[in-house]
Amino acid sequence: MGDLNDSVFSGTRPVLPQHAFDEGRLADFIRTNVGPFAGNLQVAQFKGGQSNPTFLVQAGSERFVLRRKPPGALLPSAHAVEREHRVMSALAATDVPVPRTLALCEDPDVIGSTFFLMAHVPGRIFWDPALPGHTPVERRALLDELNRVIAALHRVDPAAVGLSDYGKPGAYLARQVARWTQQYRAAETERIEAVDRLIEWLPAHLPPDDAPPAIVHGDYRLDNVIFHPTESRILAVLDWELSTLGHPLVDFAYHCMTWRMDGHTGRGLGDLSALELDALGIPSEAHYVSQYCERTGRTGIPGATWSYYLIFNLFRLTSILQGVTRRALQGNAASAEALTTGQRARPLAEQAWRMAQDLMRHP
């Protein structure tokens, strides 16, 4: 392996043994499919990421990012890096900032699983949605930009960028409920009563699926974008594994779970009061939603429908976290903190079920 370490690239570490591969074969692939380079190939693994292992590759003077499917047995339809490559390539000419894609390899003989290469985008990634160390003016600008970019994504015409077949037509939410129920059951490691109740409740209370299909990211959040090194401007949206065609408001509600989650369920703003948010320069959930509606030409979102979308997304994240737990127990998770992360599944499910009960009491 290469000799990159944390002192060379912030946020990276030596490649984990379970994710190691033949770097000589990768070097040959890059020379053939991306371009020649002088000097050695060096590889380091990014610390973040729970699903698809991601690596920083230095080929001579060039830096690339490699994203691959993890080794081992995988859940059906999960870890679809080839779809990430397709959607990012399609969005390159739109107002949605994405890294430049360079090559897709579906031959497992190269590094052991499907992967793609994209340009390395230097910039800032923020992990804490409270944005410590920033002024209220800076926080307001960063979050306004976050809002602008997801609105821009949902305004893209899928057919205009060659993605009219990127997802199945119709019944998006019903299919999502069924899919994440199946994914949860496939990864289940313990019985969580709140999940069982949600699995029964969600399909019985589906709201109308009345929006034209949009490109949905599936995991749009603060730490999945790269901001300019000094400006409040997003240079790249990352982690398109869960993208498809679907209901834009369901996608936006997933993003807005940040305002509902607290320290027990994830990195969120749920522990902060309205006065504390205002003092920090962070918009309330209601104001953030209204900004998005204005940018996408909507007059508003019915309260009960919005609550359902949030409940569904809490359940969906529970299912994702259960998959993280399963991979951690199998030893092939991308993050060393995977088991701890997976333990958030139960409190998230319990929060979602409390919200469902409130919605039934006050529809």
Side-chain angles (χ1 to χ4, degrees), residues 124 126 128 130-140 142 232 280:
R124 297 176 294 167
F126 302 115
D128 187 339
L131 293 166
H134 291 80
T135 67
V137 171
E138 290 169 339
R139 291 189 187 97
R140 195 172 293 113
L142 290 166
S232 301
L280 289 169

Side-chain angles (χ1 to χ4, degrees), residues 261-277:
M261 294 191 297
D262 56 27
H264 298 291
T265 54
R267 293 186 300 272
L269 301 169
D271 293 322
L272 300 176
S273 68
L275 287 175
E276 289 171 321
L277 289 174

Side-chain angles (χ1 to χ4, degrees), residues 115-195:
F115 71 92
F116 72 93
L117 290 161
M118 55 185 158
H120 176 252
V121 180
R124 297 176 294 167
I125 295 179
F126 302 115
W127 295 90
D128 187 339
L131 293 166
H134 291 80
T135 67
V137 171
E138 290 169 339
R139 291 189 187 97
R140 195 172 293 113
L142 290 166
L143 288 168
D144 185 66
E145 172 71 351
L146 200 64
N147 187 288
R148 181 194 69 80
V149 169
I150 191 171
L153 171 64
H154 292 161
R155 290 197 308 268
V156 173
D157 177 0
V161 294
L163 292 176
S164 58
D165 62 343
Y166 194 61
K168 295 179 181 178
Y172 169 74
L173 193 52
R175 287 186 287 103
Q176 283 285 297
V177 169
R179 176 193 175 184
W180 290 105
T181 296
Q182 182 182 24
Q183 295 284 77
Y184 180 86
R185 292 303 192 199
E188 192 170 15
T189 58
E190 62 172 336
R191 180 161 183 252
I192 300 176
E193 184 178 359
V195 174

Side-chain angles (χ1 to χ4, degrees), residues 150-272:
I150 191 171
L153 171 64
H154 292 161
R155 290 197 308 268
V156 173
D157 177 0
V161 294
L163 292 176
S164 58
D165 62 343
Y166 194 61
K168 295 179 181 178
Y172 169 74
L173 193 52
R175 287 186 287 103
Q176 283 285 297
V177 169
R179 176 193 175 184
W180 290 105
T181 296
Q182 182 182 24
Q183 295 284 77
Y184 180 86
R185 292 303 192 199
E188 192 170 15
T189 58
E190 62 172 336
R191 180 161 183 252
I192 300 176
E193 184 178 359
V195 174
D196 293 338
R197 293 183 180 276
L198 287 166
I199 285 172
E200 181 180 352
W201 183 85
L202 284 164
H205 294 82
L206 284 165
D209 199 347
D210 54 359
I215 302 167
V216 296
H217 180 276
D219 197 13
Y220 186 81
R221 59 180 196 252
L222 181 66
D223 55 290
N224 271 339
V225 303
I226 299 175
F227 279 91
H228 185 279
T230 58
E231 301 173 13
S232 301
R233 179 163 56 92
I234 293 174
L235 299 180
V237 179
L238 309 175
D239 199 357
W240 292 86
E241 177 195 347
L242 298 173
S243 61
T244 187
L245 297 186
H247 199 305
L249 292 182
V250 178
D251 196 38
F252 183 60
Y254 178 89
H255 172 51
C256 288
M257 286 194 304
T258 297
W259 277 262
R260 302 297 178 114
M261 294 191 297
D262 56 27
H264 298 291
T265 54
R267 293 186 300 272
L269 301 169
D271 293 322
L272 300 176

